[in-house]
Amino acid sequence: MRRILITGAGTGIGAATARRLAAMGFQLALHCRRHREDAEKLAAELREQGGLVSVISFDVSDPREAEEVINRDISENGAYWGVVLNAGITRDAAFPGMSHEDWQLVLDTNLGAFYNVLRPCIMPMIRLRDGGRIVAVSSVSGITGNRGQTNYSASKAGLIAAAKSLAVELGKRGITVNSVAPGVIDTGMVSGELRERVLPMVPLGRIGKPEDVAGTVAFLCSEDAGYITRQVISVNGGMC
């Protein structure tokens, strides 16, 4: 059975994606850090439905810890056929008042995870000789930029560029690499003030749901998406 690792799988987009991929028959490795209880609860739910699910925990910004935990999980449960890079954080502030700590932490977590998580996954994935799927969850901020989010926008734009480059490297192996760029999605990271400010800019007239993004990620992991790679798919209700 094909396995997929989902980072940040305890809540929001990650949890919605896990439910969709489990329904498609994938075996899952649910990654968490702060939301261990949520991830364990989700894993139990999916197991009751017949899914094969493991839970792993590590800091995606720590390359040594990520490598150690991922290598152990691969050794015990098998290589990942797919990886969904979903874990991320925000530390918003106007640029002149942004601390170096907040700048670095966001880049290390959101962009650094691309290297830290994928590097130990890639060779085992190649050795499966079964193609594969990698999906990086970026953001509309990584395409258009956003006030008070120079650190977040930089990290999410970097994800897109990294995914495009890796897609070229892995294409001959049949491994696709794509990005999904959500707009404003109804998760714990969205404040009421942000909703009010952004909603008039959304032609569909509503804030997105985690399931809206999960459906796109699931499609990119499907057989139907086998000839789609090096792309960025925006899921933003029509925001420009």
Side-chain angles (χ1 to χ4, degrees):
M1 181 182 291
R2 289 169 168 173
R3 298 185 73 217
I4 294 182
L5 167 65
I6 307 169
T7 66
T11 61
I13 293 170
T17 298
R19 291 187 175 97
R20 288 295 298 267
L21 293 178
M24 293 167 65
F26 289 108
Q27 182 178 349
L28 300 179
L30 306 182
H31 159 269
C32 61
R33 186 187 179 197
R34 292 177 298 154
H35 299 284
R36 180 80 191 216
E37 184 176 343
D38 292 318
E40 292 286 3
K41 183 177 179 180
L42 175 59
E45 171 193 324
L46 298 178
R47 289 179 189 127
E48 287 180 1
Q49 298 168 6
L52 296 175
V53 185
S54 62
V55 177
I56 59 176
S57 181
F58 59 86
D59 182 353
V60 297
S61 70
D62 185 331
R64 291 185 180 180
E65 184 181 0
E67 183 174 20
E68 178 182 344
V69 174
I70 288 170
N71 284 343
R72 185 189 312 126
D73 185 57
I74 289 175
S75 176
E76 293 175 356
N77 299 297
Y80 309 124
W81 181 80
V83 179
V84 178
L85 295 167
N86 170 70
I89 62 169
T90 58
R91 292 291 187 275
D92 296 352
F95 187 70
M98 182 176 292
S99 68
H100 179 266
E101 180 183 5
D102 283 348
W103 172 270
Q104 199 63 51
L105 181 61
V106 169
L107 263 70
D108 287 346
T109 302
N110 297 355
L111 180 56
F114 187 93
Y115 176 88
N116 299 339
V117 173
L118 288 181
R119 186 172 179 274
C121 297
I122 293 300
M123 287 310 300
M125 185 183 295
I126 289 173
R127 293 188 191 105
L128 289 175
R129 299 182 181 274
D130 188 31
R133 301 285 188 270
I134 296 170
V135 182
V137 179
S138 179
S139 169
V140 64
S141 293
I143 298 174
T144 65
N146 192 29
R147 182 191 303 270
Q149 289 193 321
T150 52
N151 51 0
Y152 186 74
S153 297
S155 69
K156 292 298 189 176
L159 274 180
I160 291 173
K164 284 179 176 288
S165 295
L166 188 60
V168 177
E169 293 188 24
L170 298 180
K172 290 184 178 180
R173 306 285 187 173
I175 299 171
T176 67
V177 188
N178 293 288
S179 301
V180 174
V184 180
I185 306 299
D186 190 8
T187 67
M189 298 172 68
V190 179
S191 66
E193 182 274 333
L194 181 60
R195 290 169 183 265
E196 293 181 8
R197 178 163 55 88
V198 170
L199 197 57
M201 298 186 288
V202 182
L204 285 184
R206 68 173 176 88
I207 299 299
K209 299 176 294 185
E211 291 76 14
D212 294 321
V213 183
T216 303
V217 175
F219 167 70
L220 289 173
C221 291
S222 72
E223 291 291 343
D224 289 338
Y227 199 57
I228 300 173
T229 195
R230 209 183 182 191
Q231 303 304 306
V232 183
I233 300 180
S234 295
V235 185
N236 60 21
M239 292 176 65
C240 295

